[in-house]
Amino acid sequence: MIKKYTLLLFMSMLCYGLNAQTVKLIDQQKTPLEFVSISTITPKLSSLTNENGIADVSVFRNLDSIYFTSLGYETRIMNWTALENANFIVALRASNYSLDEVIVSATRWAQSRRELTSRVTSIRPEEIQVSNPQTAADLLGASGEVFIQKSQQGGGSPMIRGFATNRLLISVDGVRMNNAIFRSGNIQNIINIDPFMIDQAEVLYGPGSVMYGSDAIGGVMNFSTLKPLFAHDDNIAVNGSVATRFSSANNELTSHVHIKVGGQKLASVTSFTFNRFGDLRMGSRGSDFYLRKEYVERINDIDVVFQNEDQQLQVPSGFEMGHFMQKLSFQPNEYWNLEYGLIYSNTTNYSRYDRLLRYKDGQPRSAEWYYGPQKWLVNRFTVTHTKQRILFDEIVLNMSAQQFEESRHDRDFMGSVLYERFEKVNAYALNVDLRKGLNDRSRLLYGAEIVFNDVASTGTDTYIFTGISEKGPARYPQSDWLSAALFATYQYELSDKSMIQAGARYNYFSMNATFDTTFYKFPFVTAENQDGALTGSLGFNYRPNESWIVRAGISTGFRAPNVDDIGKVFDSEAGAVVVPNPDLKPEYAYNAEFDVARVFADRVKLDVSAFYTLLDQAMVRRDYLFNGMDSIMYDGELSKVQAIQNVAQATVYGLQIAAEWKMDNGFSLFSHLTWQKGEEELDDGSKSPLRHAAPMFGITRLSYKNRGLRLDLYAQYTSEVPFEEMPDSELSKDYLYPTDSNGNLYAPGWYTLNFKAMKKINETFTLTGGIENITDQRYMPYSSGLVASGRNFIFSLRMNF
């Protein structure tokens, strides 16, 4: 009986009608338009269309001058009577360019690009589908605006404006992915974000700490996932997609399905994806230095070095991965929306490939070095209330609980002990975001955030000949990390052509740790660290006319020391071990930038940004004394002692240039170039190039679009890093970098020529394919440990229903 009544209740909620008035936005081909901004100036109201081109416009009833704006379309202005006469169907005419586009990441609220004071890159659903990325890291890299480092195929560490890893922040549906063990070394958590479940991706450049808190120094990567589909009549709405993909370079087989079911009040979206990636094949044209000549396998309890019969195959680098997402959204009326979201992602074991390239005394240093399954579970509950109140016009309450699991496993060549380190993090967060229009020209965006992380770390040493395991040293102490903050941003329109924005945030943070002294006699058993950080931003934009916009801003960012900074014990490199330092303080970034975007004759768009960032009190790895000793035994090897310390400054400055030309007959030409220079202070006070300041890189793409067909011919490229510009930390990695004519290490420049095609066969089937690295170049991206894919044939078929 209970199941019967539950089913009846569910069906009644699905079919219960709404009294809200909706409008549908279409293009000239009657295709629904998503993300159309609907707004009025007086009073200050706004709304957005969903993927069916539909939006609730009840709040605009009887108003004049209702604006309909969308990137790539001419702005249209109508009054309520005109909407009624058009039966609430509005068609927009395509234009070559517009400086209007809805952006979320800059302020955590959906706003027009015209209202921003910082640079943001937006990757829309069509771009995601045509680029057909294997991982979310590949999606960002395919944009040509974010540099991606890979130590193994199961990886992808973005570099943005000279910063990477725990100096960048990742957000998924408003949930902070960064946790207390995000490290300064390359990370790969981004691969747990399934590209098929991404609805939109945005990259905010420069410090975003005012709105996002710790770690948002170089930028913020904000991912929005698929949205539930609500019905707008008495019928239950159902749609979805089934897709499959094959890639030849790693024999990838991927399957995906998602389905959306919704009534007028209750809607859901469910998504499944499975990936299988084989060993990655490198190109045939390039230095023989990168060839995988041999590898290790354990045969009859003996480590044996095998000659690789196919030296272009990077053995072992393959792995598998699965993703699941579920959203359930309840909309009882036009004022409330309650949404539950669940994401689960898991990998198989995958090799830390760059560690398998190291040699010692002419033999491989490691017989095996791999990461265990990387698990990520998110439970999120979001409440949104939209109604004009004294304190807010809209409030969003976001509660989340995340679980992270990862592990490291390594054994020396001919070694008898497998060293295993296991980490689990439970991360809880509560965010309250409020938006209030103060008058026709000003608004206040403010809120509060609490984040709590609980870290559990264990170690096991397993003797492979007997199978006996015993307790080993943990990578981290048993720890908790807390962050609590208040923040606010004030926006004021000086005139119809200019706006100023100011923001501030105060962040308190603390960490408590308990150290196991069984293996290392630390001079402390417990450690506490607590401090506060005050950050701010000030920005200005000026729009002389519809064709161009000028932005300028200054901002600060910070990174609070986390458990990885303060408490870890690990081997940073051969012969060196990092030990805990509980006396760390936050590091601060001071940033200035200037951006100009101009549209010429509705044909050509040019966007240029210049930036400069100073990182002060930088947390860096330096030589250290442990109980008065500069070296200790670690995993059976005498290792030099190092620790993370606030002892350095770093600077980075650069340019980001984008140009696009819309030609006749569906052709367009786009190019983006990033150039940056960075320096960091060394132990002796000298300067070294900043490791995460990537060499000059970019993309140039010729596109053709017509009647459901899209063709992209593009090149991606990176400049050389000569020996004189190599970071000091990279000069010991002779297993990753070839030598120049003088015998010095350097990072060669490279380019690839690529072709992608997407054809919408009919309303049901879409075919996507392409060839990456057509000329089969053999190259390794700067700071990576995995040689990039050689010539890669891609085929994908998607069925929509």
Side-chain angles (χ1 to χ4, degrees):
M1 289 294 292
I2 293 176
K3 290 183 178 180
K4 181 183 293 185
Y5 285 123
T6 301
L7 180 61
L8 288 173
L9 176 63
F10 178 82
M11 294 302 295
S12 66
M13 285 191 299
L14 280 174
C15 299
Y16 187 86
L18 288 173
N19 295 321
Q21 177 60 59
T22 60
V23 66
K24 184 171 185 177
L25 274 294
I26 58 175
D27 62 15
Q28 291 172 299
Q29 284 73 45
K30 298 184 178 181
T31 302
L33 295 177
E34 186 180 12
F35 294 119
V36 177
S37 174
I38 307 171
S39 62
T40 57
I41 297 176
T42 306
K44 203 76 173 181
L45 300 173
S46 65
S47 183
L48 277 178
T49 59
N50 62 18
E51 62 184 23
N52 295 316
I54 294 173
D56 185 349
V57 290
S58 303
V59 295
F60 299 95
R61 193 178 302 275
N62 299 323
L63 293 179
D64 292 324
S65 301
I66 304 170
Y67 290 75
F68 299 87
T69 59
S70 181
L71 181 68
Y73 295 88
E74 295 179 1
T75 297
R76 188 168 179 182
I77 306 172
M78 301 175 69
N79 60 31
W80 185 262
T81 302
L83 277 177
E84 289 180 321
N85 294 336
N87 294 320
F88 294 96
I89 298 176
V90 179
L92 297 186
R93 181 181 299 172
S95 67
N96 280 332
Y97 291 107
S98 172
L99 296 177
D100 280 322
E101 183 182 8
V102 175
I103 298 296
V104 175
S105 59
T107 62
R108 299 168 68 103
W109 293 97
Q111 289 189 282
S112 167
R113 188 182 289 273
R114 287 179 174 273
E115 299 174 335
L116 305 184
T117 60
S118 55
R119 186 185 183 99
V120 177
T121 290
S122 178
I123 305 174
R124 297 300 189 185
E126 181 182 340
E127 304 300 322
I128 297 173
Q129 190 171 349
V130 74
S131 66
N132 231 338
Q134 293 187 348
T135 67
D138 294 335
L139 170 64
L140 296 178
S143 72
E145 302 184 40
V146 177
F147 192 90
I148 300 296
Q149 181 276 352
K150 288 188 179 183
S151 297
Q152 63 279 329
Q153 191 174 189
S157 189
M159 296 183 183
I160 299 174
R161 288 192 173 182
F163 299 101
T165 61
N166 56 15
R167 290 180 179 136
L168 301 176
L169 188 129
I170 304 171
S171 174
V172 181
D173 287 335
V175 176
R176 173 192 177 94
M177 193 181 199
N178 294 43
N179 62 51
I181 63 171
F182 262 43
R183 55 191 180 274
S184 58
N186 298 309
I187 59 175
Q188 58 269 3
N189 298 73
I190 198 170
I191 68 171
N192 285 115
I193 304 173
D194 177 18
F196 280 102
M197 76 177 186
I198 297 173
D199 188 61
Q200 179 179 339
E202 295 175 356
V203 180
L204 167 66
Y205 297 95
S209 289
V210 167
M211 302 306 292
Y212 290 92
S214 178
D215 302 6
I217 286 180
V220 176
M221 293 160 284
N222 188 40
F223 298 91
S224 299
T225 61
L226 297 171
K227 299 176 180 61
L229 172 68
F230 284 97
H232 291 274
D233 53 32
D234 291 336
N235 297 316
I236 295 177
V238 179
N239 71 21
S241 177
V242 178
T244 184
R245 183 177 62 226
F246 169 78
S247 300
S248 64
N250 56 359
N251 286 320
E252 177 214 10
L253 289 176
T254 287
S255 300
H256 166 78
V257 59
H258 77 258
I259 183 169
K260 298 182 179 183
V261 180
Q264 294 177 330
K265 286 182 176 290
L266 188 64
S268 75
V269 56
T270 306
S271 173
F272 297 91
T273 302
F274 175 77
N275 311 105
R276 189 187 73 187
F277 306 112
D279 293 332
L280 183 65
R281 176 178 297 279
M282 67 182 75
S284 61
R285 300 179 59 192
S287 172
D288 288 348
F289 171 84
Y290 297 119
L291 292 174
R292 179 65 162 154
K293 298 181 176 64
E294 56 189 21
Y295 59 92
V296 177
E297 283 192 2
R298 186 176 172 216
I299 306 296
N300 296 325
D301 289 335
I302 299 175
D303 291 331
V304 179
V305 178
F306 284 87
Q307 297 302 306
N308 193 0
E309 295 181 357
D310 184 351
Q311 296 186 5
Q312 290 177 235
L313 203 61
Q314 299 178 80
V315 181
S317 59
F319 73 107
E320 296 179 358
M321 183 162 52
H323 309 273
F324 170 72
M325 184 188 76
Q326 177 65 58
K327 282 186 181 180
L328 187 65
S329 187
F330 177 54
Q331 185 174 281
N333 53 48
E334 60 189 284
Y335 305 114
W336 291 93
N337 182 278
L338 290 77
E339 183 172 276
Y340 167 74
L342 180 146
I343 299 174
Y344 178 72
S345 175
N346 194 11
T347 72
T348 59
N349 295 344
Y350 55 94
S351 294
R352 172 72 189 266
Y353 185 78
D354 62 337
R355 292 296 178 98
L356 300 178
L357 303 178
R358 302 176 301 168
Y359 280 76
K360 183 178 180 181
D361 299 327
Q363 296 286 345
R365 185 169 186 264
S366 298
E368 49 187 330
W369 210 122
Y370 61 92
Y371 290 107
Q374 181 171 288
K375 300 178 182 179
W376 180 46
L377 173 65
V378 186
N379 283 279
R380 173 185 58 84
F381 184 66
T382 304
V383 179
T384 303
H385 178 49
T386 306
K387 194 170 186 179
Q388 290 187 354
R389 306 283 189 180
I390 295 176
L391 296 179
F392 61 85
D393 297 330
E394 185 172 1
I395 182 172
V396 178
L397 176 67
N398 204 7
M399 298 169 282
S400 64
Q402 300 179 81
Q403 294 179 9
F404 301 85
E405 291 187 25
E406 59 184 56
S407 60
R408 295 160 177 79
H409 312 257
D410 70 280
R411 182 174 61 85
D412 290 342
F413 183 69
M414 294 297 185
S416 60
V417 181
L418 177 65
Y419 300 102
E420 300 179 285
R421 306 294 178 255
F422 302 88
E423 279 73 56
K424 293 183 179 180
V425 179
N426 290 318
Y428 308 95
L430 173 64
N431 288 78
V432 181
D433 290 277
L434 304 98
R435 177 174 59 87
K436 178 63 181 177
L438 303 178
N439 53 50
D440 291 344
R441 289 194 175 275
S442 63
R443 69 186 68 90
L444 182 66
L445 313 172
Y446 65 106
E449 177 188 70
I450 298 176
V451 178
F452 180 79
N453 284 195
D454 181 65
V455 178
S457 182
T458 58
T460 300
D461 297 342
T462 301
Y463 294 86
I464 61 173
F465 296 116
T466 63
I468 296 175
S469 296
E470 62 182 33
K471 182 180 178 181
R475 180 178 172 91
Y476 299 112
Q478 308 309 302
S479 316
D480 62 69
W481 185 85
L482 172 70
S483 170
L486 296 173
F487 55 89
T489 294
Y490 175 72
Q491 296 178 330
Y492 180 71
E493 295 180 9
L494 300 170
S495 68
D496 292 339
K497 296 183 178 181
S498 61
M499 189 192 79
I500 191 169
Q501 174 178 294
R505 179 189 187 101
Y506 178 75
N507 213 118
Y508 168 82
F509 53 86
S510 67
M511 193 199 87
N512 297 285
T514 301
F515 292 86
D516 185 348
T517 58
T518 304
F519 301 94
Y520 304 109
K521 302 304 178 183
F522 296 116
F524 40 79
V525 177
T526 62
E528 295 182 1
N529 183 284
Q530 57 185 3
D531 209 333
L534 180 65
T535 53
S537 64
L538 180 64
F540 171 79
N541 74 35
Y542 175 60
R543 307 174 298 277
N545 54 46
E546 295 296 317
S547 297
W548 68 299
I549 185 169
V550 178
R551 301 184 183 93
I554 55 175
S555 57
T556 61
F558 80 100
R559 187 172 74 86
N562 63 18
V563 174
D564 184 84
D565 299 310
I566 294 175
K568 70 182 169 186
V569 178
F570 82 114
D571 58 329
S572 60
E573 58 191 42
V577 61
V578 173
V579 300
N581 176 12
D583 299 321
L584 284 173
K585 300 293 182 182
E587 58 185 15
Y588 288 89
Y590 304 90
N591 179 77
E593 60 184 284
F594 181 79
D595 178 83
V596 179
R598 178 72 189 270
V599 175
F600 300 89
D602 201 34
R603 290 282 184 178
V604 177
K605 180 181 178 182
L606 181 65
D607 192 345
V608 180
S609 297
F611 64 91
Y612 176 89
T613 305
L614 167 67
L615 184 67
D616 191 32
Q617 292 295 301
M619 289 182 271
V620 295
R621 193 171 65 234
R622 293 287 186 264
D623 291 346
Y624 193 67
L625 293 178
F626 179 76
N627 289 338
M629 298 181 294
D630 63 3
S631 298
I632 61 173
M633 294 298 296
Y634 180 76
D635 282 352
E637 182 176 355
L638 184 64
S639 300
K640 179 174 62 175
V641 175
Q642 297 180 327
I644 306 297
Q645 304 171 60
N646 297 103
V647 294
Q649 280 192 341
T651 59
V652 59
Y653 57 92
L655 294 171
Q656 293 173 279
I657 304 172
E660 187 171 9
W661 175 26
K662 292 287 184 68
M663 296 173 274
D664 293 327
N665 302 320
F667 284 95
S668 65
L669 183 65
F670 171 81
S671 190
H672 186 280
L673 188 70
T674 299
W675 172 86
Q676 57 199 330
K677 289 290 183 182
E679 285 186 334
E680 63 178 333
E681 188 178 3
L682 299 180
D683 244 347
D684 59 3
S686 62
K687 302 288 186 180
S688 168
L690 188 62
R691 177 191 173 193
H692 290 136
M696 184 174 68
F697 67 98
I699 187 171
T700 299
R701 179 174 59 237
L702 177 66
S703 297
Y704 173 76
K705 291 175 65 176
N706 186 33
R707 296 184 180 180
L709 174 67
R710 174 164 172 172
L711 305 175
D712 284 1
L713 178 66
Y714 64 98
Q716 288 192 266
Y717 37 84
T718 297
S719 67
E720 174 184 305
V721 182
F723 172 74
E724 295 76 18
E725 298 179 14
M726 287 285 287
D728 186 73
S729 61
E730 298 297 285
L731 294 178
S732 62
K733 301 176 182 178
D734 57 359
Y735 55 95
L736 296 182
Y737 297 101
T739 55
D740 59 21
S741 57
N742 296 318
N744 296 317
L745 298 183
Y746 80 113
W750 54 267
Y751 77 92
T752 62
L753 185 64
N754 315 271
F755 175 74
K756 295 285 179 67
M758 183 171 70
K759 173 61 179 176
K760 186 175 182 180
I761 300 172
N762 52 40
E763 292 299 319
T764 302
F765 293 100
T766 300
L767 185 64
T768 308
I771 310 174
E772 296 176 334
N773 195 359
I774 295 172
T775 57
D776 207 28
Q777 300 295 308
R778 181 188 303 153
Y779 67 97
M780 181 183 287
Y782 164 74
S783 192
S784 294
L786 183 79
V787 183
S789 164
R791 186 182 294 118
N792 185 29
F793 294 91
I794 303 170
F795 173 82
S796 177
L797 179 64
R798 181 187 292 259
M799 183 184 74
N800 298 314
F801 58 89

